[in-house]
Structures are given as C-alpha cells and as structure tokens.
Amino acid sequence: MQNKTLIIAGMHRSGTSLTTQWLYRCGLNVGENLLGAGIGNDDGHYEDIDFYEAQKQILRNKNIEDSGFTDTPVPALVLEEREFLQSIISKKNNAFKEWGWKDPRTCLFLRDYENLLPEAYYLVVFRDWKSTVSSLISRTYKVIYPTDDIVKKGLFKEYRKKLEIQKRIQELCKERAANFLKIWILYNKEILKSMSRLSKENYTVVNFGALLQSDKDVFRKLTDHWNFGLDYVSFKEIYKPKLISKEINTSRFIDKALIAEAEKIETILQKKTTF
C-alpha cells in the first residue's frame, strides 16, 4: 500500500494554521512535534517541526531570511539539501501510511517537492491579498508593540490611545505593506506554477474565507476522492471569529501597478478555487 501525503500550501497569514488544525482534529497526522502558539496564532501554528526547521535551515544556507519573507524565487535545492528533505520524508513514510504537513515556506520549494513526492496531494489554501496584507500588518504591530505599551507611556485617555494606534499602524503600512504584497505575489505565483505542472487530480484550491460553508465539501474531496482515512469534524468547532483581526485598508500605501499585478493573480486563483 502506497503512502498518502497531503501538502498544505499557502501564503503566511492565509489561514493555513487553522485549516491544518481542523485536519488534525479530523485525524490527519501533521507531525509528531508541532510548533506551539505564538503572536497571531493563539491555538498554535500546527507546523511540523521537522519541516519547519529544515526549510528555515535551507533558507539560511542560501542567505535568505529564514522567515521566508522574500519576494525573490528561491534557487533550486542542491544535492545535500534534497537528501536532507528526503531523509525526513522517508522517516515519515516509514512511520505513517497517511500524513501531511503545513509550513508557508513550503511554497518556496514546491518544484523540489514535486520531485521528492511525485504522488503527493496538494491542498492550496488561498486568501485574498487585502486580508492577508492586513493580517501581516496586524501581527507585526503586535510583535513590535506590547499590549500595554501605550499605557506605560501615560497615554491612558481612550481617544489618545486610538490616535496613537492609528499613527503606528499607518507608519507600519508605509514601511511594509508594499513589501508584504510583493511576498504574497511571489508565494501565489509559485503555487500557480506548481499547479500548472501537477495533474489536476492531485490538487484542490480552497478559499479560506469560504471554509466555514465548504468544509464538508473539502472533507469529501480528501476522503471520497483522495481516500484519506479521516473522521469529519465541523470547521465551526475550531473557528474563532474573535481572533480574526479587523481589516486595515492598506491600498493607499501600495503602488497601483503592484496592486494590479496582485489582482490579476487573485482572479486566476479564484477561477481555480474548487470550494
């Protein structure tokens, strides 16, 4: 019996953690050792530490920020790096008949995984660029500014607090919104390139914003079509709307040509969205 592997692919802040948490609850093995909670991911990232650490190390080897926040394609793996990932894959295959993993950095190595795991299935989690960039800004704000930072500075009046927060968010938008969009563009370009090479039978695209309504359809795709042995759990059981940050309008801080490029990619992905 051949192993079944599910690669969960999507840009940072695109809902991959929540999607993977849902699949974990349905019974998919997504790693024996998972990355824990952090800022912006209160319930955990659900990233397999083996792939998480391996991909970060490969990026460092190539003098790329190990967060994977790059807008330039990553060079192909060298032999030693391929063997490194192959050893992890072999370990997983020896231990589990069905397994998968999620780490946004995976999007940077999709061509390599196509060769390392030619029979793998791909669940692409897509989120529109406005929501994704906004979420990245919100998370960056939380990283840079502790929750009680304004209070410590004596800005305890509610209206002054709001003004200070708005000012800081605008500064972050000026500094980073365009770069975050460039990263979104690269990741989704890599996903589209991969889909152009894969059999249509081996991937499906999920709009994260529609997963509350389409979770049963996604589940059926995994079980009835791809034959993963899972038990249905409603996505509503893990979805916490209060954890979804309020969308920030970042458009005015980004060049229109860059937005046009993103919207073109978004249109293509929307057409490929199955659910």
Side-chain angles (χ1 to χ4, degrees), residues 10 46 64 81 101 122 127-128 132 167 173 234 264 267 274:
Y46 285 82
I64 298 171
E81 292 165 342
W101 85 90
Y122 294 76
R127 191 180 188 191
D128 67 277
T132 307
K167 178 183 173 184
C173 288
S234 173
K264 182 178 179 181
T267 299
T274 313

Side-chain angles (χ1 to χ4, degrees), residues 84-275:
F84 183 25
L85 291 179
Q86 186 62 67
S87 68
I88 296 172
I89 291 168
S90 297
K91 183 181 76 169
K92 304 291 182 185
N93 277 334
N94 289 333
F96 309 105
K97 291 298 181 185
E98 297 183 0
W99 60 280
W101 85 90
K102 163 261 172 179
D103 175 10
R105 298 165 190 80
T106 299
C107 297
L108 303 173
F109 305 104
L110 287 173
R111 180 183 285 277
D112 300 294
Y113 284 117
E114 289 164 30
N115 294 321
L116 292 167
L117 279 163
E119 302 300 322
Y121 295 98
Y122 294 76
L123 180 64
V124 175
V125 183
F126 160 68
R127 191 180 188 191
D128 67 277
W129 76 263
K130 288 182 179 179
S131 298
T132 307
V133 172
S134 172
S135 182
L136 285 163
I137 292 290
S138 294
R139 184 186 182 280
T140 304
Y141 181 91
K142 292 174 184 176
V143 170
I144 294 175
Y145 302 111
T147 54
D148 61 350
D149 177 60
I150 293 173
V151 175
K152 286 180 179 178
K153 289 187 176 184
L155 302 175
F156 51 84
K157 296 280 188 182
E158 192 63 29
Y159 73 94
R160 292 181 69 187
K161 179 180 177 180
K162 287 181 179 179
L163 286 174
E164 181 69 12
I165 290 172
Q166 289 173 1
K167 178 183 173 184
R168 290 175 174 183
I169 288 175
Q170 285 193 6
E171 288 173 353
L172 280 175
C173 288
K174 288 176 186 177
E175 293 172 5
R176 308 196 187 198
N179 186 51
F180 285 154
L181 184 53
K182 288 177 183 178
I183 296 166
W184 183 96
I185 287 170
L186 173 69
Y187 272 64
N188 286 291
K189 275 185 174 179
E190 293 299 313
I191 287 170
L192 287 172
K193 287 178 189 176
S194 183
M195 288 194 290
S196 72
R197 297 186 295 261
L198 293 167
S199 164
K200 290 183 179 179
E201 298 299 316
N202 281 58
Y203 70 82
T204 194
V205 183
V206 178
N207 186 328
F208 176 68
L211 195 51
L212 272 173
Q213 291 75 39
S214 64
D215 63 333
K216 288 183 179 179
D217 295 320
V218 176
F219 182 81
R220 281 193 289 268
K221 179 71 175 184
L222 269 64
T223 54
D224 295 351
H225 293 266
W226 292 347
N227 297 314
F228 280 90
L230 304 175
D231 297 308
Y232 176 72
V233 173
S234 173
F235 186 69
K236 291 179 182 178
E237 290 191 18
I238 61 162
Y239 183 75
K240 299 176 181 178
K242 290 183 179 180
L243 295 182
I244 305 298
S245 57
K246 184 178 179 181
E247 187 169 311
I248 299 164
N249 183 1
T250 60
S251 299
R252 63 193 179 96
F253 301 98
I254 303 172
D255 181 77
K256 290 182 179 179
L258 195 62
I259 290 175
E261 183 180 4
E263 290 181 343
K264 182 178 179 181
I265 293 168
E266 193 169 296
T267 299
I268 297 170
L269 279 166
Q270 288 283 19
K271 289 178 179 178
K272 291 182 176 292
T273 300
T274 313
F275 309 108

